[in-house]
Amino acid sequence: MIINCVAYEKGHRLRDISTDEIGDTLGHPERFVWVALHDPDAAEMARFQEIFGLHELAVEDALNGGQRPKLEEYGEALFVTMHMVTLHGDEMETGQVAVFAGPGYVLSVRQHPSRGFAEVRRRCEREPKLLKHGPAFVIYALMDAIVDRYFPVVEALQAELESIEEQIFVQGTARQGLERLYQLKRQTMRLKHAAMPLSEAAGYLSGIRVPGLCRKTREYFRDVYDHLSRIEAAVDTVREMTITAIQVNLSMVAIDEGEVHKRLAAWAAIFAVATILAGIWGMNFTHMPELDWRLGYPLALLVMGGACGVLYRRFRRAGWL
Amino acid sequence: MIINCVAYEKGHRLRDISTDEIGDTLGHPERFVWVALHDPDAAEMARFQEIFGLHELAVEDALNGGQRPKLEEYGEALFVTMHMVTLHGDEMETGQVAVFAGPGYVLSVRQHPSRGFAEVRRRCEREPKLLKHGPAFVIYALMDAIVDRYFPVVEALQAELESIEEQIFVQGTARQGLERLYQLKRQTMRLKHAAMPLSEAAGYLSGIRVPGLCRKTREYFRDVYDHLSRIEAAVDTVREMTITAIQVNLSMVAIDEGEVHKRLAAWAAIFAVATILAGIWGMNFTHMPELDWRLGYPLALLVMGGACGVLYRRFRRAGWL
Amino acid sequence: MIINCVAYEKGHRLRDISTDEIGDTLGHPERFVWVALHDPDAAEMARFQEIFGLHELAVEDALNGGQRPKLEEYGEALFVTMHMVTLHGDEMETGQVAVFAGPGYVLSVRQHPSRGFAEVRRRCEREPKLLKHGPAFVIYALMDAIVDRYFPVVEALQAELESIEEQIFVQGTARQGLERLYQLKRQTMRLKHAAMPLSEAAGYLSGIRVPGLCRKTREYFRDVYDHLSRIEAAVDTVREMTITAIQVNLSMVAIDEGEVHKRLAAWAAIFAVATILAGIWGMNFTHMPELDWRLGYPLALLVMGGACGVLYRRFRRAGWL
Amino acid sequence: MIINCVAYEKGHRLRDISTDEIGDTLGHPERFVWVALHDPDAAEMARFQEIFGLHELAVEDALNGGQRPKLEEYGEALFVTMHMVTLHGDEMETGQVAVFAGPGYVLSVRQHPSRGFAEVRRRCEREPKLLKHGPAFVIYALMDAIVDRYFPVVEALQAELESIEEQIFVQGTARQGLERLYQLKRQTMRLKHAAMPLSEAAGYLSGIRVPGLCRKTREYFRDVYDHLSRIEAAVDTVREMTITAIQVNLSMVAIDEGEVHKRLAAWAAIFAVATILAGIWGMNFTHMPELDWRLGYPLALLVMGGACGVLYRRFRRAGWL
Amino acid sequence: MIINCVAYEKGHRLRDISTDEIGDTLGHPERFVWVALHDPDAAEMARFQEIFGLHELAVEDALNGGQRPKLEEYGEALFVTMHMVTLHGDEMETGQVAVFAGPGYVLSVRQHPSRGFAEVRRRCEREPKLLKHGPAFVIYALMDAIVDRYFPVVEALQAELESIEEQIFVQGTARQGLERLYQLKRQTMRLKHAAMPLSEAAGYLSGIRVPGLCRKTREYFRDVYDHLSRIEAAVDTVREMTITAIQVNLSMVAIDEGEVHKRLAAWAAIFAVATILAGIWGMNFTHMPELDWRLGYPLALLVMGGACGVLYRRFRRAGWL
């Protein structure tokens, strides 16, 4: 589905054009068309493939989701695929955005992701001085928008880690902690594989051997690269702390176990003493004078209670109870 | 065994030829022969070694299975070995495919693997425009087919991981989970060593210093490289999550242990209280008035039952039972 | 807020100037201005952006904190962001310092960090021979000051590790040890991400392809690079030993557990023997001659005490008690 | 001790010569001498150092064992040290082979290893077409032989791993499994350090900036490099699976522990019930009608047996027994 | 403190000179001075800084200990810092050696380390042919001496590891084993950080872009590099095996635990059976015929002993006792 198809001249919006008019614009040196597609079908893509002379393999990649983020050069043209990552509650959703750019045109193809790039277009149109750099600036603007949308995801992962950290040293929450840590690790891996390959592309477009199309936008792509480096550092920290937290969790389980054991041992000792005493006075010896005492029974109960009490206080002091 | 031996001209199938006619074709600039062998013996290979002037070491590698995936240049000629990986139930099967290519010829040698490349040949023949690129395109088509066949294997490993993940937080399945995780790790290692070295080859054939034979097919090999990168990312994720899952599994065992302990401790306490009470009323003191009560015995049983019940509810609330 | 705005000539302080006078100084080949800002607002930054012709993206980075440490070239100008790390008790605080430098000017922008760079300016003014190298030397002086302030932080982390190490082999401190180790790991990660990216910048400024501005100060930046390498080594050691200490801690928990178990087992055995003996003499057989002995009861108690004593000494010797 | 000293011309064995005749051969462009030494003393080495003009440091390295596998160039001459690894039962034995080669000569110096290279020499002499390449081909032949001898060692390690894997999920073998895994890890490390540095040498000799001596043998060294890569992959797999197996082993111990605990708990419960019942009927209440029943005792035994039986079957079903 | 100050000509010792005479020697093309200092004060260093024209930053580094091992070029001059490592019992001691070298002079500055380099000087003077290479050879000789002194330290660490390995599978030594492993890991880290950065320096001095001063001594520095590679491999092995040993230690603790548990369980079962039997015959049923048997009591004891005996043998066979 075509979302937009607009011609620009010297950084200013000219007007919406139909696909048939694109050909006329292409020859014009200071103009370019920016077409935005959403979930296009094969026929639509074939149409644009013909108009812009796109490479067959790139078109295939744009149609099939699930590509790896990457940058490819086909002669003067560039082809970028990026992953858009959004968090819906606990679920991480990934959508693909493919951008074709060449002299005089940009074609962005969005798959699945619900959130469009209308605001990006508006922002670009507000800065004709920058949009004058042409298709390369549009690539930058899209990439920048996508990378900016990674930050809330990273922050959500960091917040989740912090919330687990608070819980981890609290007794009796090990099982939940583990499940959450495992989920966190998985999501971190997914974000990493969605975001990180893009930094290679951004690095290339800000490097020395930059493609001709992007010669004037190097600083902008360096900025994107920099954002990706921050995300990488954050993801790295989350990943490493997750691993550590899983280990710590295991240790906490073992420590809690140890405390349960000590308590168990202490109570067992207390009960055992009472049992032995009851056993002793239950023996059938003929000559057990205390059995005939008037206060023998209450005394016996007192002795039993006393012995238990003494043990209880001892264990309490030793921190076993 | 010779499966096929076909001459092509300008990308179009000319006709099946016999091995004796190959020599005539070789001189022709716009023709090439594509020979497919399956489990050839030394004599057959020696024959083709002579016809195409193959290097002795490459021929040896094609005859012996168990080579590492690799790309080698011998002058103008290329020699590629690849691993085909198939899953039969739980077992991973690896077969070797070696491809010799030079100006005017492609010779593919298949070892063991049950599944042939007839469909690859048919697909190539349907696209003469591409097949016109000659032997390099045939290498691409074979490599692409082999790499495409890795995807179902990766997906099977991912599915296995997901199925283990569902099981991992369920009590009492730790032993099976471990065995499955260990197997998964092994298979992941095998797939990695089968698939990953190929990405070096694909990278080289899509790079700047590409061999002469493949000058026009760089984009195609870049596509293969890209697929391999996706496989690598997937394999990496499976590998890392497997490691984490093994650790989590250990923690789950420890947590389950802890719960068994608590239950054991709780029941032990309940039983111990009953035992002590029975012990007390089993003592032989002369003056134990309650022993002579008419309802002493049922009352005693009631007290014992009551004490146990109180403890039971307490432990229940504390989550120990 | 403008902290300082001073003009220098041939390494000597000329005088404090107002922002309006900066323009006059800029043309002068042997002079440069050094402006220090603290938490500037957007209007102030816009002012200086115009005066020095700073790049929009760099200005944005200087205004927003939370950048990654980095060095960027914009034509002849340099833009450096650095992290200042300070320890307040257990809390690690990070502040950003951004430095713009070009022919004839240095502009340092400090965010949050409480501690300023007045002493750095004084030190520079005491060495006009070095300050003669111009803006590059000022960058060095600031970077050197920031890196020097990492050392006390590293030492605090090392001291914390050593204090944990002393505690780790002491029984009963596992839980605290874990919490401290986890905090230490986190702080180490934070320091690493704050300090390490800077070493890339320092490496670049001391390398062969150094920017024109810094041609005469390579040795100085090499010295900074070297300090960062020492910090890296120290951080690395702390990080690796922390991981090991967490593992060792787990083992210590398990070992302590084992000892508690042995003790428990030993006491259980002792009590069980006494219980059995009491049980035996509590049996109701008609013919149990010892029951009628005059000293039967005290003897029985003696036997019970004796059996317990023997067991106790045995367990003691075996190290279980 | 001199094992052999033979002159070759155009790849054909000329004849055995004495050390005095070596000088005459050296000037001859199409001839070379191949001298094999075994555990030479300093005097012998000094002799050859003079004849071939070997570098002092290389001679020292050849005399002292324990060098790291490496390749060094001294002007036109090459110096290679390699490790020969053999398994004698469980013990891994390492011997050093040093090879000096230059225009017109090869000198191989073997330390300790029991197995010589007579077969390598015979194989070379059977292929004069290849031996014509001179000293470089001899280096290749020796390196190839040494690398080929790594394969049985790798296979032994793989077999050991597989045998441990079969055992690892069997109850009660954890201790042995651990000892074997630890040994396996050690041997793997030793093999790795013996074999892997050689791959650098092989890579260099098959690379683009190959030394003059080896210009015609690049493909051969690439083959050696390839074999080393296979060994590396295998060693890597063994190493990683060993680590995993150690972790799995720990988990298995914990799981087995858990099962012992459950069994213990189950039996304890059964015994406790019987004890309580006996305790109840051992109480001294006056009015316990069942005590006077004729069949009271057998009924009591029946109740006790029944209760135990019910519990037993319950635990059995729950998998605790 | 000045230890030595000697002038050399063409590799031969000329004579001891005073610091005032150094200036005269410097101009002479075939002469050089070798000055050795021990713990110099700032004034002494300032003196030599002036004489040899040393760079301020290098002088600072030589005065302050605790530098990282490194090589720096200042124009034609070289500055090397190295760490000397010695083991005193369990303690690892580190001392710094800094070497300044330029055309015509070498200045070595030793901090703390007790052991000097008199023997290095003597060895150099015995080989005028090598010492003729000038300051570069002196750097080599010092570096070689320092690296050679790492070997006993590495060997001590290896010996410690082996001694721990022997102990690790012995029951009841886990706690000590852990402490020793932790210490070993720490010392290994320290050695690594002391020795490894030097290999970068040695690599640079033996590489292609070697500084002018060292053009004729490349082979010698390659030898040092090689020694450092051996140390690196050894340190690596110790480090990895230490990690594995810590894991194995944990598993051994768990296994030993398991055995203690089984024993405990077995004894508990035996005692429980005896207790139940005593409880049964302690019941107060009127009709318990065996209570009136003449041999009832001894028979009961026999039954109890027998039951315990049978259980004991069963557990013995099952390996629980």
Side-chain angles (χ1 to χ4, degrees), chain C residues 165 169 219 222 226 230 237 240-241 244 251-252 256 258 261 284 286 288 290, chain E residues 66 70 73-74 175 179 182 185-186 193 239 257 281-284 291-292 297:
Chain C
E165 279 169 351
F169 294 103
E219 274 88 0
R222 195 169 58 190
D226 209 63
R230 274 165 62 196
T237 304
E240 186 154 345
M241 290 317 292
T244 307
S251 290
M252 289 308 297
D256 287 358
H261 270 139
N284 297 321
T286 319
M288 292 175 72
E290 69 267 43
Chain E
K70 66 181 170 188
E73 285 182 86
Y74 292 95
R175 186 185 291 267
E179 288 207 50
Y182 191 83
K185 180 96 190 281
R186 266 182 87 175
H193 284 301
R239 199 172 142 270
E257 264 289 271
W281 286 311
M283 294 194 297
N284 296 322
L291 292 184
D292 298 322
Y297 180 43

Short mmCIF file of all heavy atoms in Angstrom, two decimals, chain C residues 165 169 219 222 226 230 237 240-241 244 251-252 256 258 261 284 286 288 290, chain E residues 66 70 73-74 175 179 182 185-186 193 239 257 281-284 291-292 297:
data_model
loop_
_atom_site.label_atom_id
_atom_site.label_comp_id
_atom_site.label_asym_id
_atom_site.label_seq_id
_atom_site.Cartn_x
_atom_site.Cartn_y
_atom_site.Cartn_z
N GLU C 165 37.32 -10.08 49.96
CA GLU C 165 38.15 -11.29 49.92
C GLU C 165 38.50 -11.78 51.32
O GLU C 165 38.55 -12.98 51.58
CB GLU C 165 39.44 -11.01 49.14
CG GLU C 165 39.24 -11.09 47.64
CD GLU C 165 40.43 -10.54 46.88
OE1 GLU C 165 41.33 -9.96 47.52
OE2 GLU C 165 40.47 -10.69 45.66
N PHE C 169 36.20 -16.18 53.07
CA PHE C 169 36.48 -17.52 53.57
C PHE C 169 36.09 -17.66 55.05
O PHE C 169 36.38 -18.65 55.69
CB PHE C 169 37.95 -17.87 53.36
CG PHE C 169 38.30 -17.97 51.91
CD1 PHE C 169 38.99 -16.97 51.25
CD2 PHE C 169 37.88 -19.07 51.17
CE1 PHE C 169 39.29 -17.07 49.91
CE2 PHE C 169 38.18 -19.19 49.84
CZ PHE C 169 38.88 -18.17 49.20
N GLU C 219 52.70 13.20 22.41
CA GLU C 219 53.27 12.49 23.57
C GLU C 219 52.36 12.64 24.79
O GLU C 219 52.25 11.73 25.60
CB GLU C 219 54.66 13.06 23.92
CG GLU C 219 55.77 12.42 23.15
CD GLU C 219 56.01 13.14 21.83
OE1 GLU C 219 55.28 14.13 21.56
OE2 GLU C 219 56.89 12.73 21.06
N ARG C 222 49.50 10.36 24.51
CA ARG C 222 49.97 8.98 24.73
C ARG C 222 50.03 8.68 26.22
O ARG C 222 49.74 7.57 26.65
CB ARG C 222 51.33 8.79 24.07
CG ARG C 222 51.72 7.33 23.95
CD ARG C 222 52.93 7.17 23.07
NE ARG C 222 54.05 7.92 23.59
CZ ARG C 222 55.18 8.11 22.92
NH1 ARG C 222 55.31 7.63 21.69
NH2 ARG C 222 56.17 8.78 23.43
N ASP C 226 48.08 5.86 28.19
CA ASP C 226 48.75 4.93 29.07
C ASP C 226 48.05 4.82 30.43
O ASP C 226 47.87 3.72 30.95
CB ASP C 226 50.17 5.43 29.27
CG ASP C 226 51.09 4.30 29.52
OD1 ASP C 226 51.22 3.46 28.62
OD2 ASP C 226 51.61 4.22 30.64
N ARG C 230 46.25 1.49 32.21
CA ARG C 230 46.41 0.99 33.58
C ARG C 230 45.07 0.82 34.25
O ARG C 230 44.82 -0.19 34.94
CB ARG C 230 47.27 1.95 34.39
CG ARG C 230 48.74 1.70 34.26
CD ARG C 230 49.52 2.87 34.76
NE ARG C 230 49.31 3.13 36.18
CZ ARG C 230 49.63 4.25 36.79
NH1 ARG C 230 50.18 5.23 36.10
NH2 ARG C 230 49.41 4.41 38.07
N THR C 237 40.99 -6.74 36.18
CA THR C 237 41.32 -7.63 37.27
C THR C 237 40.18 -7.67 38.28
O THR C 237 39.76 -8.75 38.70
CB THR C 237 42.62 -7.18 37.97
OG1 THR C 237 43.64 -7.10 36.97
CG2 THR C 237 43.03 -8.14 39.05
N GLU C 240 37.28 -9.70 36.79
CA GLU C 240 37.50 -11.14 36.73
C GLU C 240 37.52 -11.75 38.12
O GLU C 240 36.95 -12.82 38.36
CB GLU C 240 38.79 -11.45 35.97
CG GLU C 240 38.95 -12.94 35.77
CD GLU C 240 39.80 -13.29 34.57
OE1 GLU C 240 40.04 -12.41 33.71
OE2 GLU C 240 40.23 -14.45 34.47
N MET C 241 38.18 -11.06 39.07
CA MET C 241 38.23 -11.60 40.43
C MET C 241 36.84 -11.58 41.07
O MET C 241 36.51 -12.45 41.87
CB MET C 241 39.23 -10.82 41.29
CG MET C 241 40.68 -11.02 40.91
SD MET C 241 41.19 -12.73 40.53
CE MET C 241 41.07 -13.50 42.13
N THR C 244 35.15 -14.67 39.88
CA THR C 244 35.70 -15.81 40.62
C THR C 244 35.20 -15.82 42.06
O THR C 244 34.83 -16.87 42.59
CB THR C 244 37.24 -15.76 40.61
OG1 THR C 244 37.67 -15.63 39.26
CG2 THR C 244 37.83 -17.00 41.22
N SER C 251 30.70 -21.93 46.44
CA SER C 251 31.34 -23.13 46.95
C SER C 251 31.43 -23.09 48.47
O SER C 251 31.21 -24.09 49.14
CB SER C 251 32.74 -23.28 46.36
OG SER C 251 32.67 -23.59 45.00
N MET C 252 31.77 -21.92 49.01
CA MET C 252 31.87 -21.80 50.46
C MET C 252 30.52 -22.09 51.12
O MET C 252 30.46 -22.75 52.16
CB MET C 252 32.34 -20.38 50.85
CG MET C 252 33.78 -20.09 50.52
SD MET C 252 34.96 -21.30 51.13
CE MET C 252 34.69 -21.13 52.89
N ASP C 256 29.99 -24.97 53.81
CA ASP C 256 29.42 -24.70 55.14
C ASP C 256 28.18 -25.56 55.35
O ASP C 256 27.99 -26.14 56.43
CB ASP C 256 29.05 -23.22 55.25
CG ASP C 256 30.29 -22.35 55.39
OD1 ASP C 256 31.39 -22.92 55.42
OD2 ASP C 256 30.15 -21.13 55.45
N GLY C 258 27.59 -28.39 54.07
CA GLY C 258 28.05 -29.76 54.33
C GLY C 258 28.41 -29.94 55.78
O GLY C 258 28.13 -30.99 56.38
N HIS C 261 25.39 -30.13 57.90
CA HIS C 261 24.80 -31.45 57.74
C HIS C 261 25.45 -32.51 58.59
O HIS C 261 24.81 -33.36 59.17
CB HIS C 261 24.89 -31.88 56.27
CG HIS C 261 23.72 -31.44 55.50
ND1 HIS C 261 23.81 -30.94 54.23
CD2 HIS C 261 22.41 -31.42 55.82
CE1 HIS C 261 22.61 -30.63 53.82
NE2 HIS C 261 21.76 -30.90 54.75
N ASN C 284 7.41 -54.07 77.33
CA ASN C 284 6.63 -54.67 78.41
C ASN C 284 6.84 -56.17 78.61
O ASN C 284 5.92 -56.87 79.02
CB ASN C 284 5.14 -54.40 78.16
CG ASN C 284 4.87 -52.90 78.19
OD1 ASN C 284 5.44 -52.19 79.02
ND2 ASN C 284 4.00 -52.45 77.31
N THR C 286 7.62 -59.59 80.23
CA THR C 286 7.54 -60.01 81.65
C THR C 286 8.93 -60.29 82.21
O THR C 286 9.24 -59.93 83.33
CB THR C 286 6.70 -61.30 81.75
OG1 THR C 286 5.59 -61.17 80.89
CG2 THR C 286 6.23 -61.51 83.19
N MET C 288 12.28 -59.33 82.06
CA MET C 288 13.41 -58.45 81.75
C MET C 288 14.13 -58.21 83.05
O MET C 288 13.85 -57.25 83.78
CB MET C 288 12.92 -57.13 81.18
CG MET C 288 12.30 -57.31 79.79
SD MET C 288 11.57 -55.78 79.18
CE MET C 288 13.02 -54.83 78.81
N GLU C 290 16.86 -57.07 84.29
CA GLU C 290 17.51 -55.82 84.71
C GLU C 290 16.50 -54.80 85.21
O GLU C 290 16.85 -53.90 85.97
CB GLU C 290 18.36 -55.22 83.58
CG GLU C 290 17.58 -54.66 82.39
CD GLU C 290 17.41 -55.68 81.30
OE1 GLU C 290 17.11 -56.84 81.61
OE2 GLU C 290 17.56 -55.33 80.13
N GLY E 66 54.86 1.83 39.42
CA GLY E 66 53.47 1.52 39.10
C GLY E 66 53.05 1.85 37.69
O GLY E 66 51.87 1.95 37.39
N LYS E 70 55.59 -0.83 28.92
CA LYS E 70 55.30 -0.17 27.64
C LYS E 70 56.57 0.24 26.94
O LYS E 70 57.65 0.27 27.54
CB LYS E 70 54.44 1.05 27.89
CG LYS E 70 55.17 2.12 28.68
CD LYS E 70 54.30 3.33 28.94
CE LYS E 70 55.02 4.23 29.94
NZ LYS E 70 54.19 5.32 30.41
N GLU E 73 58.32 5.86 21.90
CA GLU E 73 59.36 6.54 21.12
C GLU E 73 59.23 8.04 21.32
O GLU E 73 58.14 8.60 21.24
CB GLU E 73 59.17 6.25 19.64
CG GLU E 73 59.58 4.87 19.21
CD GLU E 73 59.40 4.72 17.71
OE1 GLU E 73 60.31 5.08 16.96
OE2 GLU E 73 58.31 4.27 17.32
N TYR E 74 60.35 8.66 21.59
CA TYR E 74 60.41 10.12 21.60
C TYR E 74 61.46 10.49 20.56
O TYR E 74 62.64 10.43 20.84
CB TYR E 74 60.80 10.64 22.97
CG TYR E 74 59.77 10.41 24.04
CD1 TYR E 74 59.84 9.31 24.87
CD2 TYR E 74 58.70 11.30 24.20
CE1 TYR E 74 58.88 9.10 25.85
CE2 TYR E 74 57.74 11.09 25.19
CZ TYR E 74 57.84 9.99 26.00
OH TYR E 74 56.89 9.78 26.96
N ARG E 175 37.77 -26.82 51.24
CA ARG E 175 37.92 -25.44 51.71
C ARG E 175 39.32 -24.91 51.43
O ARG E 175 39.48 -23.84 50.85
CB ARG E 175 37.60 -25.37 53.20
CG ARG E 175 37.59 -23.97 53.75
CD ARG E 175 37.38 -23.97 55.25
NE ARG E 175 36.05 -24.39 55.62
CZ ARG E 175 35.03 -23.55 55.82
NH1 ARG E 175 35.23 -22.26 55.66
NH2 ARG E 175 33.87 -23.99 56.15
N GLU E 179 40.69 -21.85 48.78
CA GLU E 179 41.52 -20.71 49.13
C GLU E 179 42.77 -20.66 48.28
O GLU E 179 43.17 -19.61 47.79
CB GLU E 179 41.89 -20.75 50.63
CG GLU E 179 40.73 -20.44 51.54
CD GLU E 179 41.17 -19.86 52.88
OE1 GLU E 179 41.98 -18.89 52.88
OE2 GLU E 179 40.72 -20.35 53.90
N TYR E 182 41.90 -19.63 44.74
CA TYR E 182 41.64 -18.20 44.63
C TYR E 182 42.94 -17.40 44.63
O TYR E 182 43.14 -16.50 43.81
CB TYR E 182 40.73 -17.75 45.79
CG TYR E 182 40.20 -16.36 45.61
CD1 TYR E 182 39.08 -16.13 44.84
CD2 TYR E 182 40.84 -15.27 46.19
CE1 TYR E 182 38.59 -14.85 44.66
CE2 TYR E 182 40.36 -13.99 46.01
CZ TYR E 182 39.24 -13.78 45.25
OH TYR E 182 38.77 -12.52 45.06
N LYS E 185 44.63 -17.85 41.28
CA LYS E 185 44.00 -17.02 40.23
C LYS E 185 44.49 -15.58 40.35
O LYS E 185 44.81 -14.94 39.33
CB LYS E 185 42.48 -17.08 40.40
CG LYS E 185 41.69 -16.30 39.40
CD LYS E 185 41.21 -17.14 38.25
CE LYS E 185 40.64 -16.31 37.14
NZ LYS E 185 39.27 -15.86 37.42
N ARG E 186 44.56 -15.07 41.57
CA ARG E 186 45.02 -13.69 41.76
C ARG E 186 46.44 -13.49 41.29
O ARG E 186 46.75 -12.51 40.62
CB ARG E 186 44.99 -13.37 43.26
CG ARG E 186 43.73 -12.71 43.70
CD ARG E 186 43.81 -12.40 45.15
NE ARG E 186 44.44 -11.12 45.39
CZ ARG E 186 44.54 -10.58 46.60
NH1 ARG E 186 44.06 -11.23 47.65
NH2 ARG E 186 45.11 -9.42 46.76
N HIS E 193 49.29 -9.31 33.99
CA HIS E 193 49.31 -7.88 33.75
C HIS E 193 50.72 -7.32 33.83
O HIS E 193 51.01 -6.26 33.27
CB HIS E 193 48.37 -7.15 34.72
CG HIS E 193 46.94 -7.30 34.35
ND1 HIS E 193 46.46 -6.89 33.13
CD2 HIS E 193 45.88 -7.84 34.99
CE1 HIS E 193 45.17 -7.16 33.06
NE2 HIS E 193 44.79 -7.75 34.17
N ARG E 239 45.36 -20.22 34.09
CA ARG E 239 44.14 -19.46 34.33
C ARG E 239 42.91 -20.31 34.00
O ARG E 239 41.98 -20.41 34.81
CB ARG E 239 44.15 -18.21 33.45
CG ARG E 239 43.20 -17.16 33.93
CD ARG E 239 43.42 -15.89 33.14
NE ARG E 239 42.14 -15.27 32.89
CZ ARG E 239 41.39 -15.52 31.84
NH1 ARG E 239 41.78 -16.35 30.90
NH2 ARG E 239 40.22 -14.92 31.72
N GLU E 257 28.84 -34.15 49.79
CA GLU E 257 27.58 -33.90 50.46
C GLU E 257 26.62 -35.06 50.25
O GLU E 257 26.01 -35.58 51.18
CB GLU E 257 26.92 -32.66 49.81
CG GLU E 257 27.18 -31.40 50.52
CD GLU E 257 26.43 -31.38 51.81
OE1 GLU E 257 25.27 -30.93 51.81
OE2 GLU E 257 27.03 -31.82 52.79
N TRP E 281 6.75 -53.37 71.07
CA TRP E 281 6.72 -54.20 72.28
C TRP E 281 6.52 -53.36 73.55
O TRP E 281 6.41 -53.89 74.63
CB TRP E 281 7.99 -55.04 72.36
CG TRP E 281 7.92 -56.17 71.36
CD1 TRP E 281 6.87 -57.03 71.19
CD2 TRP E 281 8.91 -56.52 70.40
NE1 TRP E 281 7.14 -57.91 70.16
CE2 TRP E 281 8.40 -57.62 69.66
CE3 TRP E 281 10.18 -56.03 70.07
CZ2 TRP E 281 9.11 -58.22 68.62
CZ3 TRP E 281 10.89 -56.64 69.07
CH2 TRP E 281 10.35 -57.72 68.33
N GLY E 282 6.47 -52.07 73.37
CA GLY E 282 6.17 -51.20 74.50
C GLY E 282 4.69 -50.86 74.57
O GLY E 282 4.25 -50.13 75.45
N MET E 283 3.91 -51.37 73.62
CA MET E 283 2.46 -51.10 73.63
C MET E 283 1.81 -51.87 74.78
O MET E 283 2.30 -52.91 75.20
CB MET E 283 1.85 -51.51 72.29
CG MET E 283 2.37 -50.62 71.14
SD MET E 283 1.40 -50.78 69.61
CE MET E 283 1.66 -52.48 69.20
N ASN E 284 0.67 -51.33 75.24
CA ASN E 284 0.07 -51.88 76.44
C ASN E 284 -1.09 -52.83 76.20
O ASN E 284 -2.01 -52.92 77.01
CB ASN E 284 -0.39 -50.72 77.33
CG ASN E 284 0.78 -49.89 77.79
OD1 ASN E 284 1.84 -50.44 78.09
ND2 ASN E 284 0.60 -48.58 77.83
N LEU E 291 5.09 -61.31 75.03
CA LEU E 291 5.62 -60.58 76.18
C LEU E 291 5.83 -61.49 77.38
O LEU E 291 6.66 -61.24 78.25
CB LEU E 291 4.67 -59.44 76.58
CG LEU E 291 4.54 -58.29 75.59
CD1 LEU E 291 3.66 -57.19 76.15
CD2 LEU E 291 5.91 -57.73 75.20
N ASP E 292 5.05 -62.59 77.40
CA ASP E 292 5.16 -63.48 78.53
C ASP E 292 6.11 -64.65 78.31
O ASP E 292 6.35 -65.44 79.19
CB ASP E 292 3.75 -64.01 78.89
CG ASP E 292 2.86 -62.85 79.30
OD1 ASP E 292 3.35 -61.94 79.98
OD2 ASP E 292 1.68 -62.84 78.89
N TYR E 297 12.22 -61.44 75.80
CA TYR E 297 13.10 -60.27 75.77
C TYR E 297 14.36 -60.49 74.94
O TYR E 297 14.63 -59.74 73.98
CB TYR E 297 13.43 -59.87 77.21
CG TYR E 297 14.32 -58.69 77.38
CD1 TYR E 297 14.13 -57.55 76.59
CD2 TYR E 297 15.35 -58.69 78.31
CE1 TYR E 297 14.95 -56.44 76.75
CE2 TYR E 297 16.17 -57.58 78.46
CZ TYR E 297 15.98 -56.46 77.69
OH TYR E 297 16.79 -55.39 77.83
#
